[in-house]
């Protein structure tokens, strides 16, 4: 699976605005420009612009400057189909694959090397923003029109075409859903979906019987910060690992942003030098 590499400090992200024929919000060139400007702000803006962190600034701060996305929007892509022709994720995959073969950036065809910072042959990060409502806001929309991240072994394209195996797909209307009236635009759903591109799972309970992180995690409620576990496994922090008795200086701990991981003897699977392998 091609996920965002934790070693890649400057991943390149391609954001593709998708137009559907039945969009009720985008019906002319002026509305396309307005929506694309909002997408640009949500992904590349700042707190003054949108009233909250953008995707770029959120990941810079949350990762302690370990992740600095280079985010580029393609030209608005017209799918030439209505949303009711897209009925499942396989349809979404076909649509996105076809889109990548035809998109332009400032009227120029992009090279696959433009978005492959780590040199693995795939786009570092790929996000499609579609301009119809998500299905919970419009009952006439198929339920595949939600926010999700999908990973699959797609055929590798030849020559200089854009290759991908992981992408996120979300409606423009998530940027307008903020509960806080102070927000101009809301980037949180897109931030959450990018967590999946790093390999993180949802931390909320699908059955809604419990809240394992009490809603205090970006991968739970799409609120607040990533918690220390996520930052540790993404390589943004180096933990203090305690498997016996230890004294840790509080000031040093605060200065390093490091979590403390307390293990017992039964938890440790293997220790090799200063590396630990545990469940």
């Amino acid at each position: 699976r091609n996920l965002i590499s934790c070693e890649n400090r400057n991943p390149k992200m391609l954001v593709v605005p998708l137009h559907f024929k039945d969009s009720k919000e985008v019906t002319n060139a002026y509305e396309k420009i307005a929506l694309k400007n909002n997408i640009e702000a949500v992904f590349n803006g700042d707190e003054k612009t949108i009233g909250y962190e953008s995707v770029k600034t959120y990941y810079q701060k949350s990762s302690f400057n370990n992740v600095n996305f280079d985010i580029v929007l393609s030209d608005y892509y017209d799918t030439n189909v209505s949303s009711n022709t897209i009925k499942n994720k396989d349809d979404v995959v076909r649509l996105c694959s076809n889109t990548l073969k035809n998109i332009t950036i400032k009227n120029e065809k992009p090279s696959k090397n433009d978005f492959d910072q780590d040199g693995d042959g795939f786009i570092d990060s790929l996000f499609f923003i579609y301009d119809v409502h998500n299905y919970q806001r419009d009952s006439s929309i198929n339920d595949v029109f939600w926010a999700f991240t999908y990973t699959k072994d797609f055929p590798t394209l030849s020559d200089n075409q854009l290759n991908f195996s992981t992408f996120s797909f979300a409606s423009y209307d998530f940027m307008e859903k903020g509960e806080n009236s102070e927000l101009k635009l809301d980037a949180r759903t897109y931030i959450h979906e990018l967590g999946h591109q790093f390999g993180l799972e949802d931390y909320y309970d699908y059955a809604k019987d419990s809240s394992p992180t009490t809603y205090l995690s970006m991968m739970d409620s799409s609120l607040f910060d990533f918690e220390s576990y996520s930052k540790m496994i993404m390589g943004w922090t180096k933990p203090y690992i305690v498997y016996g008795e230890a004294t840790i200086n509080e000031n040093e701990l605060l200065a390093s942003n490091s979590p403390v991981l307390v293990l017992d003897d039964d938890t440790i699977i293997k220790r090799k030098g200063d590396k630990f392998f545990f469940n």
Side-chain angles (χ1 to χ4, degrees):
R1 302 196 311 167
N2 179 53
L3 301 172
I4 300 174
S5 169
C6 293
E7 287 74 38
N8 189 355
R9 304 295 187 178
N10 303 102
K12 301 270 288 189
M13 185 193 300
L14 175 60
V15 180
V16 182
L18 292 176
H19 176 62
F20 285 90
K21 291 170 65 175
D22 56 332
S23 173
K24 299 172 183 176
E25 301 298 321
V26 180
T27 59
N28 56 56
Y30 295 104
E31 290 171 344
K32 283 186 178 180
I33 292 171
L35 180 53
K36 187 177 178 184
N37 287 341
N38 282 346
I39 296 172
E40 178 74 44
V42 160
F43 279 85
N44 271 326
D46 55 31
E47 187 175 355
K48 292 181 180 179
T49 305
I50 66 174
Y52 184 67
E53 303 295 343
S54 67
V55 169
K56 183 181 180 73
T57 61
Y58 182 98
Y59 275 92
Q60 284 174 331
K61 294 178 181 181
S62 183
S63 71
F64 307 110
N65 292 313
N66 280 298
V67 176
N68 183 26
F69 277 110
D70 183 357
I71 304 173
V72 176
L73 266 67
S74 76
D75 298 328
Y76 218 119
Y77 183 76
D78 195 336
T79 65
N80 289 314
V81 298
S82 296
S83 62
N84 59 15
T85 65
I86 309 300
K87 302 182 184 302
N88 52 52
K89 287 186 178 178
D90 286 338
D91 289 341
V92 173
V93 169
R94 281 189 288 271
L95 175 72
C96 293
S97 297
N98 183 64
T99 298
L100 280 188
K101 295 175 185 177
N102 295 286
I103 61 166
T104 58
I105 299 173
K106 296 181 179 179
N107 296 317
E108 297 286 337
K109 291 284 290 184
S111 162
K112 70 176 182 180
N113 296 326
D114 294 340
F115 295 94
D116 183 16
Q117 186 69 24
D118 57 7
D120 64 357
F122 295 92
I123 298 173
D124 294 341
S125 179
L126 179 61
F127 215 121
F128 294 92
I129 305 292
Y130 55 86
D131 64 1
V132 295
H133 288 312
N134 75 77
Y135 82 96
Q136 289 194 351
R137 285 190 62 184
D138 186 341
S139 60
S140 68
I141 299 289
N142 292 323
D143 62 7
V144 74
F145 284 89
W146 186 236
F148 66 85
T149 298
Y150 194 62
T151 298
K152 185 176 180 180
D153 292 329
F154 302 115
T156 300
L157 300 176
S158 59
D159 301 324
N160 200 30
Q161 296 185 53
L162 296 168
N163 293 322
F164 73 108
S165 67
T166 298
F167 68 93
S168 297
F169 186 75
S171 173
Y172 79 94
D173 62 7
F174 287 107
M175 71 179 68
E176 301 174 351
K177 76 178 186 63
E179 296 87 355
N180 186 341
S181 60
E182 299 297 320
L183 292 180
K184 301 173 185 176
L185 295 167
D186 191 345
R188 291 176 298 180
T189 294
Y190 313 118
I191 292 167
H192 172 99
E193 290 306 320
L194 281 171
H196 294 311
Q197 291 198 24
F198 280 96
L200 300 179
E201 302 288 347
D202 286 320
Y203 293 167
Y204 56 84
D205 176 15
Y206 292 159
K208 300 181 180 179
D209 291 331
S210 65
S211 177
T213 65
T214 62
Y215 304 107
L216 299 177
S217 169
M218 176 52 66
M219 298 312 294
D220 184 346
S221 58
S222 298
L223 296 171
F224 309 111
D225 196 2
F226 291 108
E227 79 305 313
S228 58
Y229 170 77
S230 296
K231 297 189 183 195
M232 178 182 68
I233 64 175
M234 288 191 287
W236 298 348
T237 62
K238 185 176 181 180
Y240 288 92
I241 300 178
V242 180
Y243 58 95
E245 293 185 1
T247 301
I248 300 173
N249 181 278
E250 181 179 6
N251 291 330
E252 181 181 347
L253 181 68
L254 293 172
S256 67
N257 297 312
S258 296
V260 177
L261 192 63
V262 182
L263 307 179
D264 58 34
D265 291 338
D266 294 332
T267 306
I268 298 173
I269 298 174
K270 186 195 312 183
R271 179 182 181 186
K272 185 176 181 180
D274 62 348
K275 293 184 178 180
F276 293 80
F277 301 85
F278 53 88
N279 62 22

